[in-house]
Amino acid sequence: MGSINMEIGNDGVAVITMLNPPVNALTLSAIEELKRCYEEAIDNDNIKAIVLSGADGRFCGGLEISVVENVHKHGDISLLPDASIGLVVNKMENGKKPSVAAIQGFALGGGLELAMGCSARIATPKADLGLPELRLGVIPGCGGTQRLPRLVGTSKAVDMLMSSKSITSEEGKELGLIDAIVSSEELLTVARCWALDIVEGRQPNCNSLQKTDKLGTQDESLEILRSARQRYTVPHYRACLDVIEEGIISGGYSGVLKEDKVFKELVLSNTAKGLLHVFLAERATSKVPGVTDVGLKPRRIEKVAVIGGGLMGSGIATALIISNISVVLKEINHEYLLKAVKSVEENLQGFVTRGKLNQEKLKRTLSLLKGTLDFEDLKDVDMVIEAVNENVCLKQSIFEDIEKNCTSECIFASNTSTISLDVIGKRTSSQDRILGMHLFSPAHLMPLVEIVRTENTSPQVIVDVIKLTKILKKVPIVVKSCTGFAVNRSFFPYMQGPDLLANLGVDIFRIDRVITEFGMRLGPFQLQDVSGYGIFLAGVKEFVAAFPGRAFQSPLVQLMVENGRKGKKNGKGYYTYNKGSKPEADHSVIEIVEESMQLTNIAPGGKPISVTNKEILEMIFFPVVNEACRVIEEGIVVRASDIDIASVHGFKFPSETGGIMFWADTIGSEYIYSKLKSWYEAYGDFFKPSTFLEQRAAKGLPLVRIF
């Protein structure tokens, strides 16, 4: 049996089943088999109608990712299948016999596009329906931009496409995307009957590409698209809107032709390559050799204690209860506990405000939270997450207390970002159950979690916590312990490089502008304002102590503090912050920058250096690449692509670049090495190339694909 199977029933209905576990993805051979089955069914006089279904409770998850990978590898769009015209239009929609899609589980991407090419769609309850292609840098390539607006209306179609979010079959029924919802037991029976009813004229034979009733007037649809263009400015999003417009103005088939053309242009774009890399790298983070491949099954974590209810602790507690996990939140006194619970309530209210939670669900979620002042209330928890201040003695004392009060199976985690886990657990005899669970602030919103293992952490505990992060809908990367772990360690040059450039005389506001134009949400100096100078200075101190040979020490931030500037905290930093208005550059800080320049005295001849915007970008990010190379060489991460995920989800490096290391590979290790070497010779050890980078450059090898 191949990936497509066809059975002809006594009722004259051919059931074509897609069979390619786990999601019944469409391979090149599957698409050719589908064409063959449809041709056979159309030519067979004993077949009256067709039902298209998927095996094992799933309809179809869309085009097999490896097809696109192969196109990227060879740079050849001829390796793409002819599915849009050759299959959906010619065989399914314009064939002589009606077909009905029998959907259960999900119909996503190309799977939903196949379903929309059918004459009708029958689905089971709670099936997911969506077109997520824009997340991968492309548009739907099998008619989705044309059929979806004609089935659900232009406004809803634009919303689904731009957000890449799926809807349930129930919502699909209300919108007109689904014709009927039935139980999984009845699905094939109802679909077969529906197909025969179309043949007999009892149900309409709907060609969705020719429908216009849901589109409204042309002017209405064009206004919806005009409004969407103001909100979505990324090129491939705009391209999608242009393709929808083509169909509205010139007709569905014309739209399909333009969609096919644009899809093939986008699939080879750098954005598509970068976003596909992020997608695949994200899936790989949960695979840890010697841990996840030895047959261990994750244990259920249903109740978690969080110790410390400050910013991080309350955020972690929120993330847990929103995912239906009971939490015992421990504080040291009633005042702190009430404040912590209030913070959790405010976090949840934020979800309500954003429409992600209703008041009834908020109450149910809050009922999962229990506050306590007593370690004895932790006796039945499955896991403890410590989130107190970075104080070694305090953390050691807490770990002693939890060992005394918790079960022998309980997992002990710390949210520390600086202290060795071996030191934290030194006074316990439970080193095999200790690991780091480093979330990023705000913990209930940021997706990345660094799972920090020691030499003693058991594989079972790592497997358990990986599973927990999935339940929390977060992205885990498993790392070894070091100063800063993977994210902060790799990106500490990003915090120091801009200060170095400022001390070389480069305008700080120009630096911020270059970095935001590249795609970072904030420039490094505005980031200092927002994060707080105290956090910045503490980080510099930490990395100077750990890596004295290559850390750059600048007096600039300390001078800002001495001049009464606290950044956003008091509305006065590199920028001024007034409620209700955007931050504005405060050019009076130039005097402080000049004072810093005099103190460091690193500018050649005491004069500002002359650099292009391209050089500014490189002088800030190449040292990050360099430090990430050391992280790879030291085995801190499982694979180089984990740093890409760390950069995208932990530091908001632009996802369309593929992450910091993938981006570096588009430039080339030889070029990066040569630039760093020249700056090292000119400006000192901060730019000194790592041994790993030097070796890769000498061999002309990429940085990411090394395992």
Side-chain angles (χ1 to χ4, degrees):
M1 183 184 293
S3 57
I4 305 294
N5 183 47
M6 184 168 75
E7 293 182 354
I8 304 169
N10 294 329
D11 56 359
V13 175
V15 177
I16 299 175
T17 304
M18 294 173 281
L19 179 62
N20 183 22
V23 298
N24 298 326
L26 297 167
T27 62
L28 294 177
S29 61
I31 290 169
E32 291 306 309
E33 285 185 62
L34 274 174
K35 290 180 186 177
R36 179 187 57 77
C37 286
Y38 265 88
E39 288 171 357
E40 184 180 332
I42 290 168
D43 292 341
N44 189 332
D45 293 337
N46 294 320
I47 296 175
K48 302 175 183 177
I50 300 161
V51 167
L52 181 63
S53 69
D56 300 325
R58 302 170 178 88
F59 185 71
C60 177
L63 185 65
E64 173 67 55
I65 286 293
S66 62
V67 174
V68 182
E69 279 188 282
N70 199 38
V71 172
H72 287 172
K73 181 180 178 181
H74 294 93
D76 184 1
I77 59 171
S78 70
L79 297 172
L80 289 168
D82 175 22
S84 185
I85 305 297
L87 173 60
V88 181
V89 173
N90 293 345
K91 308 297 181 188
M92 298 173 67
E93 219 162 32
N94 294 338
K96 301 174 185 176
K97 297 171 183 177
S99 60
V100 173
I103 301 168
Q104 54 183 328
F106 49 73
L108 300 172
L112 181 57
E113 291 179 289
L114 288 182
M116 290 191 293
C118 292
S119 309
R121 287 150 294 283
I122 315 299
T124 55
K126 307 298 181 186
D128 287 325
L129 314 169
L131 296 173
E133 284 85 350
L134 284 171
R135 284 183 182 171
L136 296 179
V138 296
I139 65 173
C142 215
T145 62
Q146 304 306 308
R147 294 183 181 88
L148 190 62
R150 286 163 172 75
L151 288 167
V152 304
T154 306
S155 180
K156 183 61 182 179
V158 167
D159 178 58
M160 286 179 65
L161 286 161
M162 296 294 106
S163 69
S164 291
K165 291 180 180 177
S166 60
I167 61 172
T168 63
S169 47
E170 286 78 5
E171 187 176 355
K173 174 72 165 59
E174 291 179 10
L175 292 168
L177 180 58
I178 298 298
D179 294 284
I181 297 176
V182 300
S183 69
S184 56
E185 292 80 12
E186 299 175 293
L187 180 62
L188 282 179
T189 301
V190 173
R192 299 175 87 116
C193 291
W194 201 288
L196 291 172
D197 283 346
I198 293 174
V199 174
E200 298 297 329
R202 291 187 290 271
Q203 292 286 357
N205 189 348
C206 172
N207 184 323
S208 58
L209 199 58
Q210 296 177 1
K211 277 173 63 69
T212 57
D213 56 298
K214 290 287 186 74
L215 291 177
T217 67
Q218 185 175 110
D219 286 345
E220 288 171 342
S221 286
L222 294 179
E223 176 58 28
I224 291 167
L225 295 174
R226 186 196 66 78
S227 177
R229 285 190 181 94
Q230 293 179 336
R231 286 179 288 144
Y232 301 100
T233 58
V234 177
H236 65 285
Y237 282 72
R238 286 283 184 91
C240 184
L241 295 170
D242 291 345
V243 169
I244 296 171
E245 182 176 287
E246 173 69 20
I248 288 167
I249 293 174
S250 304
Y253 187 70
S254 178
V256 165
L257 293 177
K258 180 164 184 175
E259 177 193 83
D260 186 64
K261 177 177 180 291
V262 172
F263 174 81
K264 288 175 179 175
E265 291 170 354
L266 289 173
V267 79
L268 285 177
S269 67
N270 288 334
T271 294
K273 292 174 183 176
L275 289 173
L276 179 63
H277 172 73
V278 170
F279 174 78
L280 295 172
E282 192 173 299
R283 292 203 303 187
T285 62
S286 299
K287 299 172 183 176
V288 183
V291 175
T292 58
D293 56 357
V294 294
L296 294 172
K297 293 184 178 180
R299 297 171 296 184
R300 292 171 68 89
I301 296 177
E302 298 176 330
K303 189 174 185 180
V304 176
V306 178
I307 300 180
L311 179 65
M312 285 305 303
S314 60
I316 293 169
T318 304
L320 289 162
I321 61 175
I322 203 79
S323 301
N324 206 35
I325 295 171
S326 296
V327 170
V328 180
L329 181 56
K330 184 185 179 305
E331 261 296 356
I332 57 174
N333 60 46
H334 286 289
E335 180 187 349
Y336 284 3
L337 184 58
L338 288 172
K339 187 177 179 181
V341 171
K342 185 178 179 182
S343 294
V344 174
E345 291 174 349
E346 289 173 351
N347 291 340
L348 292 176
Q349 194 60 51
F351 285 114
V352 174
T353 302
R354 291 189 292 275
K356 296 183 177 181
L357 201 67
N358 58 39
Q359 288 294 338
E360 183 182 347
K361 180 73 185 298
L362 183 148
K363 290 179 181 178
R364 288 202 305 270
T365 302
L366 265 179
S367 71
L368 295 171
L369 179 68
K370 174 187 175 183
T372 186
L373 305 177
D374 196 336
F375 276 106
E376 288 187 4
D377 289 332
L378 278 55
K379 61 181 180 295
D380 61 344
V381 301
D382 303 308
M383 180 178 184
V384 177
I385 303 174
E386 167 272 307
V388 301
N389 295 333
E390 296 290 78
N391 181 300
V392 172
C393 292
L394 176 60
K395 289 178 185 286
Q396 287 179 335
S397 175
I398 287 170
F399 271 65
E400 282 183 295
D401 284 327
I402 61 179
E403 186 178 47
K404 291 174 186 175
N405 289 278
C406 297
T407 69
S408 60
E409 299 291 315
C410 183
I411 298 168
F412 303 158
S414 174
N415 187 57
T416 183
S417 60
T418 59
I419 303 172
S420 165
L421 293 160
D422 290 323
V423 172
I424 290 173
K426 186 178 181 180
R427 298 180 192 170
T428 75
S429 57
S430 306
Q431 278 83 2
D432 62 322
R433 293 186 279 145
I434 293 175
L435 81 172
M437 189 172 175
H438 182 219
L439 292 92
F440 293 76
S441 184
H444 58 295
L445 299 177
M446 291 289 279
L448 187 71
V449 179
E450 287 180 298
I451 299 174
V452 188
R453 56 176 168 173
T454 71
E455 292 298 323
N456 298 309
T457 307
S458 79
Q460 180 65 60
V461 167
I462 298 171
V463 168
D464 295 341
V465 177
I466 289 175
K467 176 65 174 178
L468 175 64
T469 61
K470 296 295 186 180
I471 293 171
L472 299 182
K473 296 181 180 177
K474 295 188 180 294
V475 182
I477 58 169
V478 177
V479 303
K480 291 182 180 178
S481 185
C482 71
T483 300
F485 308 139
V487 179
N488 292 334
R489 163 78 183 277
S490 297
F491 271 82
F492 91 79
Y494 178 76
M495 303 306 295
Q496 297 183 3
D499 271 23
L500 190 151
L501 284 179
N503 281 283
L504 286 170
V506 182
D507 180 73
I508 61 172
F509 302 113
R510 181 185 174 201
I511 292 170
D512 271 6
R513 187 171 62 252
V514 168
I515 297 305
T516 54
E517 287 175 356
F518 173 70
M520 298 293 283
R521 295 183 182 181
L522 296 174
F525 291 100
Q526 190 178 355
L527 180 62
Q528 288 179 24
D529 277 355
V530 172
S531 300
Y533 298 157
I535 291 175
F536 176 85
L537 291 171
V540 170
K541 182 179 179 181
E542 175 189 340
F543 287 108
V544 166
F547 313 111
R550 59 179 184 272
F552 175 70
Q553 297 187 68
S554 164
L556 178 56
V557 175
Q558 188 60 45
L559 289 171
M560 293 286 285
V561 174
E562 291 171 4
N563 277 269
R565 295 175 183 266
K566 297 182 181 179
K568 190 176 181 181
K569 189 174 182 180
N570 72 344
K572 198 173 182 183
Y574 300 103
Y575 297 79
T576 56
Y577 299 84
N578 296 304
K579 196 170 183 179
S581 60
K582 292 182 178 180
E584 293 184 6
D586 185 352
H587 293 281
S588 67
V589 300
I590 300 304
E591 292 181 9
I592 302 174
V593 175
E594 289 174 347
E595 183 180 355
S596 180
M597 285 181 66
Q598 291 173 1
L599 291 171
T600 56
N601 194 30
I602 61 171
K607 296 181 179 180
I609 64 170
S610 176
V611 287
T612 65
N613 287 350
K614 178 172 176 283
E615 287 171 322
I616 290 174
L617 188 72
E618 293 174 349
M619 292 178 83
I620 288 176
F621 283 122
F622 284 4
V624 177
V625 173
N626 196 33
E627 191 62 35
C629 285
R630 295 186 178 101
V631 168
I632 296 167
E633 185 177 24
E634 293 170 21
I636 303 301
V637 290
V638 175
R639 58 187 66 80
S641 62
D642 286 354
I643 292 179
D644 286 324
I645 297 306
S647 69
V648 168
H649 290 310
F651 227 85
K652 299 303 177 185
F653 197 78
S655 57
E656 62 270 18
T657 66
I660 185 75
M661 303 307 282
F662 189 86
W663 172 75
D665 276 340
T666 65
I667 297 168
S669 57
E670 305 99 315
Y671 177 79
I672 294 172
Y673 171 75
S674 68
K675 297 299 288 186
L676 285 167
K677 186 179 179 184
S678 67
W679 298 328
Y680 165 54
E681 292 168 352
Y683 308 120
D685 288 348
F686 179 78
F687 293 107
K688 185 177 181 179
S690 67
T691 302
F692 182 86
L693 176 61
E694 183 178 7
Q695 291 172 345
R696 304 302 287 186
K699 297 176 182 177
L701 296 173
L703 301 174
V704 176
R705 297 179 183 88
I706 63 174
F707 298 121

